[in-house]
Amino acid sequence: MTERRAILSGSTFEEQIGYARAVVDGDWVHVSGTTGFDYTTMTISEDVVEQAEQCLRNVGAALAEAGCTFADVVRVRYLLPDRADFEPCWPVLRRCFGPVRPAATMLVCGLADPRMKIEIEVYARRPA
C-alpha cells in the first residue's frame, strides 16, 4: 500500500474549505493551488510580484515537508485573474523553475478572493 499523507500549512482556508496544502501519494506530491498569502499572518501584498514570491515560499515549504525541492517539480499551473500580471512575474518564476523546465500552463480565471493576483499549483515526484 502506498503512503498517502496530507501536508497542512496552517492556512485558515484549509480548515474552512476542507483541503490540504499538499498530498503525498507514494512518490507523487500534489501541491494545491497556493496563493500569495503569508499563512502565518494571513496577510497578502497588493503587488503581484511579491505575491508570486510568497506563493513560491509557500510551495517550497510544502515541497520540503514532502521531501522534495523545486528540482523535483514536473508540472506547474499558474492561475491569474489578469493576464497582464503574468509577465512581471517571469523573473521570479524562472528563478525556481528555469533550471527544472517543468511542463507549465497559465490560465486566466477568477480566484477565490479579489486580493489574490496569482495562484500556483505544482506536481512533483519525490526522489528515489
Side-chain angles (χ1 to χ4, degrees):
M1 187 165 176
T2 62
E3 168 195 16
R4 186 175 191 283
R5 161 173 74 95
I7 294 173
L8 304 177
S9 70
S11 162
T12 57
F13 298 126
E14 293 167 15
E15 182 63 31
Q16 292 169 343
I17 300 169
Y19 70 98
R21 174 64 38 222
V23 173
V24 177
D25 187 12
D27 292 339
W28 289 100
V29 179
H30 307 270
V31 180
S32 294
T34 302
T35 67
F37 271 93
D38 177 332
Y39 295 131
T40 58
T41 62
M42 288 307 292
T43 58
I44 192 167
S45 171
E46 292 182 19
D47 180 73
V48 69
V49 174
E50 289 176 13
Q51 284 192 27
E53 290 170 344
Q54 184 63 49
C55 285
L56 293 171
R57 283 191 292 274
N58 295 339
V59 168
L63 289 171
E65 191 169 335
C68 290
T69 69
F70 284 103
D72 301 307
V73 173
V74 297
R75 179 90 172 104
V76 60
R77 283 194 185 99
Y78 306 107
L79 302 101
L80 296 95
D82 184 350
R83 73 176 31 92
D85 281 341
F86 190 46
E87 191 170 349
C89 297
W90 290 358
V92 172
L93 304 174
R94 188 171 44 250
R95 213 171 38 235
C96 287
F97 299 116
V100 181
R101 304 291 176 135
T105 302
M106 188 282 260
L107 299 170
V108 175
C109 61
L111 299 178
D113 183 313
R115 295 173 294 173
M116 297 172 180
K117 296 184 178 185
I118 186 169
E119 187 168 317
I120 300 173
E121 172 187 39
V122 305
Y123 300 92
R125 187 152 191 181
R126 295 193 308 171

